[in-house]
Amino acid sequence: MKKKLSVRLSAVLLCLCIILTVCSCGAKKAEFTSFAMGSAVTAAVYTENEDEAAALWSEICTAISDSDKALSATDKASDISRINASGTAVVSKYTVSFLEKAVLLCNTLDRKTDITLGAATSLWGFSSDSPQVPDEEALKNAVGTVDIDGIFIDEANSTVSLQKGQKLDLGALGKGEGCDIIREKLTEKGLSACVSFGGNILVTGKNPSGKNGMWKIGLRDPKKGVNDVFAYLTVDSSSGAVCISTSGSYEKAFERNGKRYHHILDPETGYPVENGIASVNIICRSGLNADALSTALFVNGLNDRALSFLKAFSAEAVFVFKNGSVYATKGADKILTISNNSSYKTVSYEEAAK
């Protein structure tokens, strides 16, 4: 079986603190702050047993750490790093399974999300302390290695091989996988929770402190700081966990000679996507699917094909454009509220896609 993969995960997840408060419903809200895959993770877990919540979060930390050890592109001992270093490696069953899912996602999304972009992303160095604009010829050669069909997965022998020069980058999928790990652990216990993981938000169960058990999730204003929001999603996760994943041009960006470069690359050119989109916010049951979709739709842009992607995954989306216009799919529009003091305004599909 042939398949492709790309995930950049870093750092062991570390539990830092637990804060306990009591909400109006009598349940205790256990708050956790951790670090995983290069990002902060914060969680509010509602429980009547704080010891159970603490034990569960420790279990979650271990599970995400195990995932990171397999998929990290920075840990030289990880499966992904060994594949990238030598072009082939015997890997864990978990890595094989994850890569198979990743390849299927990439193909379903017309390879707008592509895990074989590693050679190109490494030239940009967005995750390093010194990002740079690559040499044009070097970038052209790196883009020449982008090909999902270049990944070969031997399930029987747990071996993954790449074509010459290829490197895997799972940055567009890693935190979504982490959210799915957390979701599975929380829903097994039937707990209500809200988790923030990098650009992803996961909510499970009813919000004991929210109106009608709903969660109010802020959407970041692409023109402002990390704590500035321009709109809210009112999310009901009482019948199943919901993940909101965002891809934005404001993330991992730098300036050179008066031009700004962001980390979302077009697999066909190797350069940052420039299509007028500032951010794409996906609402979906699966964190992995939401993560893949947010990147793919940022690259693809808003058109009929984008809507078909969303339909295939039973997902909704909010597209935010640099000109201040916002397009929300039918399901997303029902739960979207733009702040009164915001300059953003919703537009029709025809207006947004023109």
Side-chain angles (χ1 to χ4, degrees):
M1 175 186 292
K2 294 191 214 177
K3 302 234 175 193
K4 269 186 151 183
L5 92 87
S6 132
V7 161
R8 185 173 51 249
L9 309 174
S10 63
V12 174
L13 185 147
L14 176 66
C15 292
L16 298 177
C17 67
I18 303 174
I19 302 172
L20 291 172
T21 58
V22 179
C23 67
S24 59
C25 65
K28 295 176 181 178
K29 181 172 71 171
E31 296 184 85
F32 302 88
T33 300
S34 309
F35 188 80
M37 301 178 178
S39 296
V41 186
T42 60
V45 181
Y46 292 86
T47 178
E48 295 182 0
N49 187 329
E50 61 264 38
D51 290 336
E52 177 187 65
L56 178 62
W57 194 253
S58 178
E59 184 180 328
I60 287 171
C61 289
T62 298
I64 295 182
S65 177
D66 290 344
S67 174
D68 196 23
K69 288 176 182 177
L71 305 177
S72 172
T74 58
D75 180 353
K76 293 183 179 180
S78 76
D79 287 346
I80 298 305
S81 290
R82 291 188 298 107
I83 294 169
N84 283 345
S86 63
T88 186
V90 176
V91 300
S92 67
K93 296 293 185 182
Y94 169 76
T95 300
V96 167
S97 175
F98 180 84
L99 291 179
E100 289 179 341
K101 289 189 294 184
V103 170
L104 178 60
L105 274 172
C106 291
N107 280 323
T108 303
L109 296 170
D110 287 353
R111 308 188 182 190
K112 299 298 183 180
T113 295
D114 198 307
I115 60 174
T116 58
L117 256 174
T121 56
S122 64
L123 291 176
W124 285 94
F126 284 105
S127 296
S128 70
D129 294 329
S130 54
Q132 61 182 356
V133 179
D135 172 78
E136 187 174 349
E137 189 63 26
L139 185 59
K140 181 179 179 180
N141 291 335
V143 169
T145 70
V146 178
D147 180 12
I148 291 290
D149 294 332
I151 297 177
F152 294 86
I153 299 177
D154 182 343
E155 294 184 42
N157 296 302
S158 290
T159 301
V160 178
S161 303
L162 305 177
Q163 288 183 344
K164 183 177 180 180
Q166 280 191 323
K167 291 186 184 300
L168 299 174
D169 181 350
L170 305 181
L173 305 178
K175 294 178 182 62
E177 170 74 355
C179 281
D180 281 346
I181 290 172
I182 298 171
R183 178 199 64 191
E184 182 178 349
K185 299 292 184 182
L186 289 171
T187 53
E188 279 179 359
K189 299 294 184 180
L191 295 174
S192 294
C194 180
V195 181
S196 174
F197 194 165
N200 295 358
I201 300 291
L202 169 71
V203 290
T204 62
K206 290 186 177 181
N207 179 3
S209 300
K211 183 178 180 180
N212 297 321
M214 302 290 194
W215 302 93
K216 191 176 181 181
I217 308 299
L219 298 184
R220 178 175 170 178
D221 186 336
K223 300 176 183 178
K224 298 182 179 179
V226 65
N227 295 318
D228 294 299
V229 301
F230 77 93
Y232 295 89
L233 294 172
T234 303
V235 180
D236 179 3
S237 61
S238 60
S239 62
V242 177
C243 185
I244 296 94
S245 179
T246 300
S247 289
S249 59
Y250 48 80
E251 300 173 318
K252 296 182 182 178
F254 68 93
E255 288 189 10
R256 288 291 184 277
N257 301 320
K259 182 175 175 59
R260 195 168 185 276
Y261 300 90
H262 63 79
H263 76 294
I264 306 175
L265 306 182
D266 184 336
E268 295 184 2
T269 67
Y271 284 97
V273 176
E274 296 294 342
N275 57 7
I277 292 178
S279 69
V280 176
N281 307 271
I282 300 295
I283 304 100
C284 189
R285 294 292 185 187
S286 162
L288 182 61
N289 291 348
D291 226 2
L293 277 165
S294 66
T295 297
L297 296 194
F298 193 105
V299 173
N300 182 80
L302 177 59
N303 51 36
D304 290 350
R305 188 58 179 150
L307 298 185
S308 72
F309 290 154
L310 291 167
K311 184 177 181 180
F313 290 94
S314 299
E316 303 290 343
V318 177
F319 290 80
V320 184
F321 296 86
K322 293 179 180 179
N323 64 6
S325 61
V326 176
Y327 172 72
T329 55
K330 185 176 181 179
D333 187 58
K334 292 179 180 179
I335 62 174
L336 176 70
T337 301
I338 294 181
S339 302
N340 292 331
N341 60 350
S342 172
S343 61
Y344 290 87
K345 65 176 183 178
T346 57
V347 298
S348 68
Y349 172 72
E350 290 72 22
E351 292 176 297
K354 65 181 180 181

